[in-house]
Amino acid sequence: MKLKFTGSSDPGLIRSNNQDAYYIDPEGRFFIVADGMGGHAGGEEASRIAIMEIQKHLLSNWDSSKSSEELLQSALWQANEGILLDQQNHSERADMGTTVVAVLFRPNESPYVAHVGDSRLYRWRSQLLELITEDHTWVARALKMGDITMEEARNHPFRHVLSRCLGRDDLQEVNVQPLDVKSGDRLLLCSDGLTEELVDEKIAYYLQESTTIEEAARSLIEGAKERGGRDNITVAIVQLED
């Protein structure tokens, strides 16, 4: 199956710096989006380290006997260790962390997605948008338990409170799962700067109405900025074709 891919990141309309980061492997083997936190320098450094460590681990172990699931999981654990080490060496960044979502395409294996935090993976198929990942946030947990409604979740004061992120020594789990994909699918990796501004129906609209994935990426970012652009906005889109 052939892959087409593109990515873009924008600081938004409020923040002067961009704490998001993304990486697209030139050969289309893996895709990563990270959203850092912890102050101006801390957030940028945390997302940068996560991208660097994941990329390095995947490439250095690409031909190993590890399964795709094991490889992706160990890559995120390596990223967590890299951020913790930097925290120890730079006390001014002791509270930094980052969310991350990563998709891996390896020959002769199903593709996999791994994530920590509230950076998301969506699949757009046959004019339907499906959220593949589950946010690691206080609000997502409360919504799942039935303690709050979907409408309350969108404006809840705790909606940005993460229950899990990279850069914590008490991180206990990294979610990794296989992906069901077929020709015609579009995969969207994004930071919460997009989903904070655009509801899923609007995201689906931009993906459906855009002829190319480059146009889709531009439309999504501009749409989020038109709705306020209060955070950094990052998207990576993968289109699958025969």
Side-chain angles (χ1 to χ4, degrees), residues 77-125:
W77 282 115
Q78 181 62 43
N80 189 61
E81 291 300 317
I83 296 171
L84 290 174
L85 179 61
D86 189 88
Q87 290 173 349
Q88 295 170 12
N89 294 331
H90 301 89
S91 59
E92 71 276 13
R93 297 199 289 264
D95 63 343
M96 71 175 178
T98 187
T99 69
V100 70
V101 57
V103 173
L104 176 67
F105 287 87
R106 213 160 171 223
N108 305 316
E109 292 189 57
S110 297
Y112 273 80
V113 57
H115 83 289
V116 174
D118 59 0
S119 289
R120 293 179 175 181
L121 174 70
Y122 287 93
R123 182 185 61 209
W124 184 83
R125 173 187 290 174

Side-chain angles (χ1 to χ4, degrees), residues 46-143:
S47 60
R48 184 194 69 80
I49 292 172
I51 295 287
M52 178 187 68
E53 292 291 345
I54 293 171
Q55 175 191 359
K56 183 171 65 175
H57 189 83
L58 292 178
L59 291 177
S60 62
N61 293 276
W62 190 256
D63 296 321
S64 72
S65 59
K66 289 182 177 180
S67 67
S68 290
E69 181 178 11
E70 293 170 327
L71 180 58
L72 200 48
Q73 188 165 66
S74 60
L76 266 67
W77 282 115
Q78 181 62 43
N80 189 61
E81 291 300 317
I83 296 171
L84 290 174
L85 179 61
D86 189 88
Q87 290 173 349
Q88 295 170 12
N89 294 331
H90 301 89
S91 59
E92 71 276 13
R93 297 199 289 264
D95 63 343
M96 71 175 178
T98 187
T99 69
V100 70
V101 57
V103 173
L104 176 67
F105 287 87
R106 213 160 171 223
N108 305 316
E109 292 189 57
S110 297
Y112 273 80
V113 57
H115 83 289
V116 174
D118 59 0
S119 289
R120 293 179 175 181
L121 174 70
Y122 287 93
R123 182 185 61 209
W124 184 83
R125 173 187 290 174
S126 303
Q127 302 182 20
L128 293 175
L129 185 73
E130 181 180 357
L131 177 60
I132 303 300
T133 54
E134 181 178 309
D135 292 350
H136 300 139
T137 61
W138 184 94
V139 162
R141 184 185 298 165
L143 189 62

Side-chain angles (χ1 to χ4, degrees), residues 158-226:
F158 291 168
R159 66 186 183 278
H160 298 302
V161 177
L162 296 172
S163 59
R164 200 184 304 176
C165 70
L166 296 183
R168 299 293 179 266
D169 56 12
D170 60 351
L171 180 64
Q172 297 180 352
E173 185 179 3
V174 169
N175 284 80
V176 185
Q177 65 191 83
L179 278 177
D180 168 31
V181 295
K182 65 179 183 179
S183 179
D185 288 352
R186 283 181 174 178
L187 301 177
L188 169 66
L189 298 81
C190 62
S191 64
D192 72 339
L194 181 76
T195 54
E196 178 70 12
E197 307 295 1
L198 299 180
V199 296
D200 286 3
E201 292 78 9
K202 201 66 175 177
I203 293 173
Y205 170 80
Y206 287 124
L207 288 171
Q208 179 174 330
E209 293 300 312
S210 301
T211 305
T212 66
I213 55 176
E214 290 79 11
E215 180 187 348
R218 289 193 299 269
S219 297
L220 286 165
I221 288 178
E222 289 306 312
K225 291 168 71 174
E226 287 172 6

